[in-house]
Amino acid sequence: SLEGFYDDFAARGLVYGPAFQGLTELWRKGNTAVREESGDARPVFLPFEWTGVELHAAGSTELRVRITLDESGTGLGIRVADPAGRPVAEVAGLAIREATAGQLRSTDAVEHLYHVDFRPSPTPQLRETPAGGTWLLGENTGLSEILEARHVADVGALLARLDDERDAPVRLVVDTTTAKLPGGDAAYRLTAETLHTLRSLVGEPRLAEAELVWITRSATGADEDVRDLAHAPLWGLLRVARSEYAERVIRLIDLGTEADDALLPAALALPGEPEIAIRGGELRTARLVRTTAAGTAEEETPRPPAATPLAPDGSVLITGGTGELGRALAGHLVREHGVRHLVLTSRRGLEAPGAAGLVEELTGSGAETVQVLACDAGKREDLALALASADADHPWTGIFHLAGVLDDGLLATQDAERLERVWAPKAAGALHLDQLAREHHLDLAAFVLYSSAAGVLGGAGQGNYAAANAFLDALAARRRADGLPALSLSWGLWRQAGLGLTAGLGQAELARLRRGGIGALSTRQALTALDAALGLPYAHLVPVRLELTSLQREVDNGGPAPALLRNLLRAPRRRAGAAAGSPSGLREQLLALPEDQRLPHLSQLVRREAATVLGLPPADGVGADQVLKDLGMDSLMAVELRRRLSAETGLTLPSTLAFDHPTPSEVAALLLVKLDVGSAAGAAAGPRVTRHQIDSLVELLRAATPAQMEEHGLASGLLALRDGLARSAPAHDEEPEAEIDTGTTDDLLQFLDRKLGVSE
């Protein structure tokens, strides 16, 4: 009888959710496979090691499974068949281990809560660097000797060397360990410098094939002590760079003491590992792992939790307290943690939408005092005034820093000004709060920073935000190392109603996040994760709803498997021969088609991938000659489309793919030529100048400041465009507005004047 079958397991600590309660009938022949025991301490047996696994068929909706226990009682043999008795799978051996209810409870993973773990990795054999070798960009000549690298001091010297040398480097190592940036804004300035360097390097065609490696020191929590806060934001910034430039090899290596420098060549030789820390003479690679309720219970002296219970008579500060996440947190602290005195800040204070109603709601839930203050979290003086608002009878017991703004955009469009706009309320605000709390010797039970998973997982388009939040993660680790309470929570996506930073995401954006493995946390799930995190001994945790099934599907279809998530995913299924979805298979498939069918076949491929990116029906969602931007494709979607098409074709495609070739037909024509399976009229001659491109250029010019035009070469680019059109534009008899593709240079410039509102 199966009555109470799963309830019995649950009573012993092993809870099967609905998806794992598929057993409908159970037979037993004799007692050889069952060990009868009595008492509440009955153990359960868990799978430990599989051997001799063979899969014969797939797709069954019903299975019959025969399990045989070996004589030792510690191993199983398993045979799986469909209802007709045809073999489906076979397992030669499955070793099992006994576990008690107490052991199960001690290793229970906390739902949707992860942390970054740097795990020891074997030291690889050193390989000889191919021709071109390694170049080192930076001032540390000691590292250039260790790496046997050519040394260039700065980007200018690098470009000059490229002009003089025949070969470009195979690997370019950017050393930041000698950066000397005194002052409280050192982290911001180093991040701004790195952003400028990064853009210069990825935009240099002669470095297109070079591996780019950034070296930091004591910037990660690999040894649970971040000594250099200035280097920490670079990890967030460069994780985003890896997302946006998926075809490039961009790596991060964090050195500990100078004694670890000698292992740098070994770290560079470690294949497929983009994030490495060198500590204590060993290489450690970064992995995201599930967080257990036990935390670090195996330690002889367990570390204290990130926070202790908040004092009911104490005051709690919440920056960004009138936003959707701040509202949810404030109500939760009142209802579940007994907080009675709240100070909420926002830029507009009580004038923020819904602020007065929030005060009424909180007081109705049990709060005795609720202050809503106007405060710019990026200004130290504003935060100091906020901290002065608590009276002596209700001293500070908790600080929760939620304030932040977004200024999203691809790294190619980011600059120091946009970085500062995001940095000030998020990173500078956190640093001000830390300094003020230390200076005033606040006896806090909790110091909690709301960070973002973008700083860990590298969200495309959020380079500035990821850098600022990576700083928060490091700041929390620094406080914990100093014996102070601290917790940074790198939140994934919240399911928001309309007041939060990500509340405006559409279905296409949400679908893109799901394909990347990110789902949305409900408010209840998020607050449950918060409560669990407060009681764990970690300075940095990642509460995120991972859609691993969606991500696994992407990986199985040829998408990249993020190194950080590898231990949460299985290896992609091997495919026999060259499948149609593989680059070589695609080319073979095209060659087998009549030449006049190859371009339509590629166009269908582009339309399908574009529809996926846009969140439209794959069959007829995108027309062959529809302008992708008109369908809602933004810059982030264009990055994903380029990555998906690169994976399908095996081609390195330009970052401006969707801009230079705005319709699926035009993209397909480019692919046809690059795959060398035919020609398309006009495709080999380069992209045409279309009205869509002109409109996009106008938008860029309107948004650009004079400094940005000079920095990015927009002015010289316009002159080059003019000269190129002057050489190639045919004569015409039409009005310039009727067809820009056939216009002269003067027509083009007049058209731009009209678009920009310039009159003579």
Side-chain angles (χ1 to χ4, degrees), residues 78 121 170 200 211 228 320 477 552 583 590 625 630 651 754:
I78 302 175
S121 177
V170 172
S200 299
E211 174 183 310
D228 196 329
Q552 185 69 60
L590 289 169
D625 296 313
D630 293 346
L651 299 170
R754 287 191 293 274

Side-chain angles (χ1 to χ4, degrees), residues 87-120:
V88 172
E90 191 168 356
V91 179
L94 171 57
I96 56 177
R97 290 283 177 90
E98 184 178 301
T100 66
Q103 289 172 321
L104 289 170
R105 281 192 292 269
S106 70
T107 58
D108 279 347
V110 181
E111 191 177 25
H112 308 309
L113 207 54
Y114 302 81
H115 64 277
V116 178
D117 185 25
F118 281 85
R119 299 182 166 184

Side-chain angles (χ1 to χ4, degrees), residues 400-431:
F400 291 78
H401 179 49
L402 281 63
V405 298
L406 293 177
D407 190 359
D408 289 355
L410 297 178
L411 288 168
T413 67
Q414 292 287 351
D415 55 23
E417 182 180 351
R418 295 181 70 177
L419 172 65
E420 199 278 335
R421 181 170 181 264
V422 172
W423 183 276
K426 180 61 67 175
L431 184 61

Side-chain angles (χ1 to χ4, degrees), residues 289-641:
V289 300
R290 290 184 173 89
T291 302
T292 64
T296 54
E298 72 278 3
E299 295 183 358
E300 293 183 3
T301 306
R303 291 174 292 160
T308 55
L310 298 166
D313 290 334
S315 295
V316 173
L317 173 69
I318 304 177
T319 68
T322 62
E324 188 165 352
L325 271 59
R327 292 165 179 256
L329 173 62
H332 183 69
L333 293 179
V334 171
R335 291 187 297 270
E336 304 298 331
H337 291 259
V339 172
R340 294 293 174 261
H341 305 280
L342 286 167
V343 177
L344 314 179
T345 73
S346 68
R347 286 180 178 270
R348 298 173 61 184
L350 274 172
E351 294 183 2
L358 175 61
V359 173
E360 293 181 6
E361 177 187 334
L362 294 173
T363 53
S365 297
E368 296 177 14
T369 62
V370 180
Q371 298 183 64
V372 180
L373 306 179
C375 172
D376 184 343
K379 296 180 178 178
R380 179 186 169 97
E381 57 271 23
D382 281 18
L383 291 172
L385 288 174
L387 287 174
S389 64
D391 59 47
D393 293 333
H394 307 294
W396 293 109
T397 185
I399 292 176
F400 291 78
H401 179 49
L402 281 63
V405 298
L406 293 177
D407 190 359
D408 289 355
L410 297 178
L411 288 168
T413 67
Q414 292 287 351
D415 55 23
E417 182 180 351
R418 295 181 70 177
L419 172 65
E420 199 278 335
R421 181 170 181 264
V422 172
W423 183 276
K426 180 61 67 175
L431 184 61
H432 295 329
L433 288 169
D434 169 57
Q435 293 171 341
L436 290 166
R438 292 174 188 257
E439 291 172 9
H440 294 287
H441 306 287
L442 299 184
D443 185 16
L444 298 173
F447 185 94
V448 181
L449 306 171
Y450 269 36
S451 178
S452 169
V456 177
L457 302 176
Q462 291 195 301
N464 49 10
Y465 195 61
N469 284 288
F471 178 84
L472 264 61
D473 304 336
L475 178 63
R478 185 63 175 271
R479 280 183 58 90
R480 289 279 290 177
D482 291 341
L484 298 171
L487 173 63
S488 183
L489 294 170
S490 293
W491 290 104
L493 184 65
W494 281 50
R495 192 179 301 138
Q496 294 176 255
L499 295 172
L501 295 179
T502 58
L505 293 179
Q507 291 303 312
E509 290 88 349
L510 293 173
R512 182 181 71 243
L513 290 170
R514 282 195 297 272
R515 288 192 297 274
I518 304 298
L521 289 165
S522 69
T523 299
R524 181 190 61 79
Q525 290 170 330
L527 295 175
T528 299
L530 168 67
D531 288 344
L534 292 172
L536 292 172
Y538 294 95
H540 176 216
L541 289 168
V542 186
V544 59
R545 181 171 181 172
L546 291 180
E547 299 279 1
L548 294 175
T549 301
S550 300
L551 184 56
Q552 185 69 60
R553 188 181 302 116
E554 289 289 306
V555 171
D556 288 341
N557 289 332
L564 200 65
L565 303 180
R566 280 180 193 158
N567 67 304
L568 300 174
L569 298 168
R570 67 170 185 271
R573 295 189 181 98
R574 294 188 299 272
R575 300 179 180 179
S582 68
S584 58
L586 174 63
R587 191 171 187 278
E588 291 173 6
Q589 191 179 69
L590 289 169
L591 289 172
L593 293 173
E595 188 169 353
D596 62 348
Q597 295 182 22
R598 295 172 187 172
L599 183 60
H601 184 88
L602 280 174
S603 179
Q604 184 62 32
L605 168 65
V606 176
R607 292 171 62 195
R608 184 189 73 217
E609 297 299 329
T612 298
V613 170
L614 288 163
L616 299 173
D620 55 1
V622 178
D625 296 313
Q626 284 186 284
V627 175
L628 296 174
K629 184 179 179 182
D630 293 346
L631 294 173
M633 181 165 288
D634 59 20
S635 56
L636 294 181
M637 295 177 187
V639 168
E640 185 185 3
L641 178 62

Side-chain angles (χ1 to χ4, degrees), residues 177-235:
T177 61
T178 58
K180 302 296 183 184
L181 297 169
D185 62 347
Y188 163 74
R189 288 193 288 151
L190 181 57
T191 306
E193 287 184 11
T194 302
L195 172 61
H196 180 77
T197 300
L198 171 64
R199 292 184 50 193
S200 299
L201 298 183
V202 297
E204 172 52 58
R206 291 169 292 183
L207 297 174
E209 303 299 322
E211 174 183 310
L212 303 178
V213 185
W214 264 261
I215 308 297
T216 60
R217 192 180 297 279
S218 297
T220 72
D223 52 2
E224 300 175 355
D225 183 8
V226 178
R227 294 182 177 85
D228 196 329
L229 295 179
H231 285 99
L234 307 190
W235 280 65

